[in-house]
Amino acid sequence: MIVVSDTSAISNLIVIDKLEILEKVFNKIIIPKKVYEEIIELKKFDFDLKKFESSKLIVKHEIVDIKLVNSHTSRLDLSEAEAITLAKEINADFL
């Protein structure tokens, strides 16, 4: 099963210190660069990202179709646009 995530699902679990819930449901979660960057921003608010940074579950993946990302940014923020584009590019089962 191929799963792509945007920022909210992962960051909300980090905030409540329950990131391990994802490991019980998925073998791997793929995120685009912008989602990774937004999650790392949680450090500014003193959230502990050790579990996220050491997780083998969450894998960063580069976007190829920048044109498709840009077509979504008039309605969505960049991380959501990248997540949707990545899901399409890699034929994800879930987003």
Side-chain angles (χ1 to χ4, degrees), residues 4-11 14 19 29-44 49-63 77-80 82-83 86:
V4 172
S5 181
D6 71 352
T7 306
S8 298
I10 297 170
S11 65
I14 290 170
L19 191 61
I29 298 173
I30 304 167
I31 60 173
K33 180 182 176 184
K34 186 62 179 172
V35 169
Y36 176 83
E37 291 171 353
E38 286 184 353
I39 293 169
I40 293 299
E41 289 287 311
L42 289 173
K43 285 182 179 181
K44 290 181 180 177
L49 298 183
K50 288 179 195 140
K51 289 180 187 175
F52 171 75
E53 292 173 323
S54 66
S55 175
K56 304 224 184 302
L57 171 76
I58 301 168
V59 178
K60 235 186 336 179
H61 195 286
E62 290 295 320
I63 300 293
D77 71 28
L78 185 55
S79 63
E80 291 169 333
E82 282 193 5
L86 180 58

Side-chain angles (χ1 to χ4, degrees), residues 1-4 87 90-95:
M1 170 178 8
I2 302 171
V3 179
V4 172
I90 63 174
N91 263 355
D93 298 302
F94 294 102
L95 171 62

